[in-house]
Amino acid sequence: MTEPLLAIKDLRTYFISKNKEVRAVDGIDLEVYPRQIVCVVGESGSGKSMTSLSIMRLVPQPKGKIVSGEVRFNGEDLLQLSEEQMAKRRGNNISMIFQEPMTALNPVMTIGRQISEVLLRHQKWSRREAKAKTVEMLQKVGISRAERIVNEYPHQLSGGMRQRVMIAMAMMCEPKLLIADEPTTALDVTIQAQVLELMKKMRDEYDTSIIFITHDLGVVAEMADHVVVMYAGQVVESASGDQLFHHPSHPYTKALLESIPSLNDDKEILFSIPGTVPDAAAFPKGCRFADRCPTARPSCTEAMPELREIRPGHLVRCDYA
Ligand SMILES: Nc1ncnc2c1ncn2[C@@H]1O[C@H](COP(=O)(O)OP(=O)(O)O)[C@@H](O)[C@H]1O
Ligand SMILES: [Mg+2]
């Protein structure tokens, strides 16, 4: 069997906020195999972004801190690298696409300049070669007037265009791992579909593995080889895309799936799960979903259920699944 490209073990990332310890990521295990698309789903506040920022070692300082765990990339623990070594991995081996491209693009630098900077920083290209490669990459992400766009600034582009530019930048160094944190949330449906297709094409062409973070289960169904469901800083279910949609086993996953509007009925209101995610500064000692769970039993609030394998490759953090 092939080795995972990325193997996260017991990752914990905490914040100190008003003298309280906020456990944003609280013991995550996650594996990504070569060419695999792993979707990470969960409601807002479940720790998805902090997991990806931890992999990139971009957790906001000084309040946030990775307190323990391993993030093995090609066998090497990223958490043990010096800042200088880590900087070389970013962009070169691992790239990230953020939800709001404006925050990641430099407003006073032309598109062409910022994309070629990525190349010039990481590889031995001449300026001329970098420019040609930039135009080629913009064309690949479906930007037809690439020759013109290289001379434009981020604010001159539409949201969909900016997101494509971000993807072009992220793919420029042909990373082994691409982390996309809700990359299509701000886009309209048509553009979203195009961006998703594009990312799959990139996977096929460059053998890139992708961690795709989203709270949209329609997107998960479209993209995922494997799905990891997060709740309150933990993994509550992990399974192949097929298993997850056909045999959802954690009550939280089931509730999430019921929240997808069905195509063959005309209810328009999204089902939402009653109650709220528990406060990450004061998690209960038992199952973190117990107070919202329709099938909770008294024992559920007494001890934290372990993540256990109910079928080969299908893990669930529920004693009654
Ligand atoms: N800068 C921060 N300071 C303190 N707490 C934070 C900060 N950023 C995120 N958190 C907390 O960490 C938890 C996980 O957040 P996040 O990873 O952004 O969730 P998600 O991406 O799943 O919506 C939340 O409880 C959030 O309030
Ligand atoms: Mg987030």
Side-chain angles (χ1 to χ4, degrees):
M1 205 174 143
T2 50
E3 292 292 307
L5 175 70
L6 182 80
I8 300 179
K9 284 213 174 61
D10 199 33
L11 177 70
R12 290 168 202 271
T13 304
Y14 295 174
F15 281 94
I16 300 301
S17 161
K18 299 191 195 101
N19 289 324
K20 284 197 284 190
E21 189 179 72
V22 176
R23 293 191 259 158
V25 177
D26 203 17
I28 294 285
D29 291 293
L30 190 151
E31 289 183 341
V32 183
Y33 286 84
R35 285 176 54 84
Q36 199 179 34
I37 300 182
V38 174
C39 285
V40 179
V41 281
E43 284 163 290
S44 181
S46 53
K48 305 183 299 295
S49 293
M50 282 310 142
T51 300
S52 48
L53 291 173
S54 301
I55 299 168
M56 295 294 281
R57 295 228 335 235
L58 293 173
V59 172
Q61 302 281 344
K63 278 181 153 182
K65 195 171 185 313
I66 298 174
V67 296
S68 71
E70 283 179 7
V71 177
R72 293 206 173 269
F73 180 79
N74 267 333
E76 168 185 75
D77 187 359
L78 298 180
L79 302 186
Q80 301 303 324
L81 298 182
S82 68
E83 183 44 50
E84 194 186 338
Q85 290 169 320
M86 188 62 209
K88 287 196 189 123
R89 309 293 184 277
R90 276 186 219 117
N92 225 353
N93 303 131
I94 310 175
S95 292
M96 184 158 173
I97 302 174
F98 298 88
Q99 180 169 354
E100 180 32 74
M102 266 323 247
T103 55
L105 293 173
N106 184 337
V108 297
M109 207 189 264
T110 62
I111 297 298
R113 185 76 195 282
Q114 21 200 326
I115 301 183
S116 5
E117 293 273 300
V118 178
L119 280 179
L120 295 171
R121 195 157 12 107
H122 288 290
Q123 287 167 6
K124 294 177 181 62
W125 302 78
S126 70
R127 265 194 190 279
R128 179 196 291 267
E129 286 166 331
K131 180 156 189 230
K133 179 127 177 130
T134 299
V135 170
E136 184 195 314
M137 190 56 99
L138 287 173
Q139 284 163 343
K140 271 203 179 130
V141 299
I143 296 177
S144 48
R145 34 182 214 102
E147 302 273 0
R148 291 240 307 283
I149 281 201
V150 288
N151 298 317
E152 293 180 3
Y153 291 88
H155 74 266
Q156 295 175 279
L157 307 181
S158 67
M161 279 297 192
R162 284 200 288 263
Q163 201 55 280
R164 284 165 194 241
V165 167
M166 280 287 297
I167 294 174
M169 269 170 88
M171 298 308 302
M172 213 57 196
C173 295
E174 301 172 19
K176 284 283 148 227
L177 177 67
L178 174 66
I179 304 173
D181 190 354
E182 313 227 12
T184 57
T185 310
L187 305 178
D188 73 47
V189 186
T190 320
I191 308 289
Q192 170 174 315
Q194 290 172 8
V195 170
L196 296 181
E197 273 316 305
L198 185 62
M199 290 178 62
K200 283 199 216 162
K201 211 169 103 192
M202 294 289 178
R203 184 268 303 266
D204 296 340
E205 201 158 323
Y206 300 114
D207 287 347
T208 302
S209 303
I210 302 176
I211 296 180
F212 196 104
I213 297 175
T214 179
H215 58 255
D216 183 337
L217 283 157
V219 172
V220 177
E222 183 70 30
M223 299 289 284
D225 297 314
H226 195 89
V227 187
V228 171
V229 182
M230 283 188 66
Y231 188 78
Q234 297 178 319
V235 173
V236 295
E237 186 156 1
S238 171
S240 70
D242 280 352
Q243 273 290 321
L244 193 102
F245 284 98
H246 292 113
H247 303 283
S249 298
H250 194 285
Y252 177 63
T253 310
K254 291 180 186 168
L256 274 183
L257 287 174
E258 280 172 49
S259 76
I260 312 184
S262 159
L263 287 176
N264 39 27
D265 85 33
D266 57 9
K267 76 176 171 214
E268 283 183 34
I269 304 158
L270 286 178
F271 176 91
S272 72
I273 307 166
T276 50
V277 181
D279 179 2
F283 283 134
K285 70 172 179 192
C287 171
R288 293 179 183 173
F289 188 60
D291 68 336
R292 300 171 78 185
C293 181
T295 53
R297 305 179 193 196
S299 64
C300 294
T301 54
E302 280 155 24
M304 170 68 68
E306 297 284 324
L307 199 57
R308 61 190 180 92
E309 193 163 32
I310 57 164
R311 290 182 197 92
H314 190 161
L315 306 175
V316 184
R317 193 184 288 281
C318 174
D319 293 337
Y320 302 103

